[in-house]
């Protein structure tokens, strides 16, 4: 997968907003890796802000919906991982400013 495609995947994921925080999952630092294989299957490795996040299924559904808009993507697998654990340190400067985090 080339850098342009990787950028397209991340760009689409920036449209997925965490419903509780109101900031996209990329800037929150929830997305750890993206990949697109030759068959068009997108593999997203990510975490959630907490293990008991009740909105996890909605976020996964929104990811699949956004990535389906890219013509290269035929299928999407979202892998939720807990290591490394998410922390505020993973958030972008934009997300920290939007949430008032220092």
């Amino acid at each position: 997968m080339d850098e342009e495609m990787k950028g397209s995947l991340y760009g689409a994921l920036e449209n997925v907003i965490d419903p509780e925080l109101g900031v996209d999952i990329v800037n929150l630092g929830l997305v750890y890796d993206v990949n697109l294989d030759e068959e068009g299957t997108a593999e997203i490795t990510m975490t959630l802000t907490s293990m008991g996040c009740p909105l996890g299924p909605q976020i996964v559904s929104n990811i699949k919906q956004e990535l389906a808009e890219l013509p290269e993507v035929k299928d999407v697998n979202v892998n939720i991982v807990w290591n490394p654990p998410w922390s505020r340190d993973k958030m972008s400067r934009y997300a920290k400013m939007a949430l008032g985090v220092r």
Side-chain angles (χ1 to χ4, degrees):
M1 177 180 68
D2 62 21
E3 288 302 312
E4 186 176 335
M5 189 67 235
K6 191 170 204 162
S8 294
L9 291 170
Y10 273 107
L13 293 174
E14 285 180 344
N15 293 322
V16 179
I17 306 298
D18 182 300
E20 288 183 309
L21 300 176
V23 176
D24 69 87
I25 62 173
V26 173
N27 279 292
L28 284 173
L30 298 177
V31 179
Y32 292 164
D33 192 31
V34 299
N35 192 35
L36 184 68
D37 68 19
E38 292 179 13
E39 288 78 40
T41 300
E43 293 278 342
I44 310 303
T45 302
M46 64 171 293
T47 193
L48 299 170
T49 54
S50 67
M51 278 194 186
C53 178
L55 297 171
Q58 180 181 346
I59 292 171
V60 169
S61 175
N62 291 349
I63 288 170
K64 290 180 177 186
Q65 181 179 348
E66 288 297 329
L67 292 179
E69 298 292 319
L70 298 174
E72 299 87 352
V73 175
K74 309 296 181 227
D75 194 18
V76 178
N77 292 326
V78 179
N79 304 309
I80 306 286
V81 298
W82 302 109
N83 280 316
W86 180 83
S87 72
R88 292 180 178 182
D89 295 337
K90 296 192 181 306
M91 293 191 310
S92 71
R93 184 171 180 262
Y94 162 78
K96 289 178 181 176
M97 289 173 57
L99 297 173
V101 174
R102 295 183 187 259

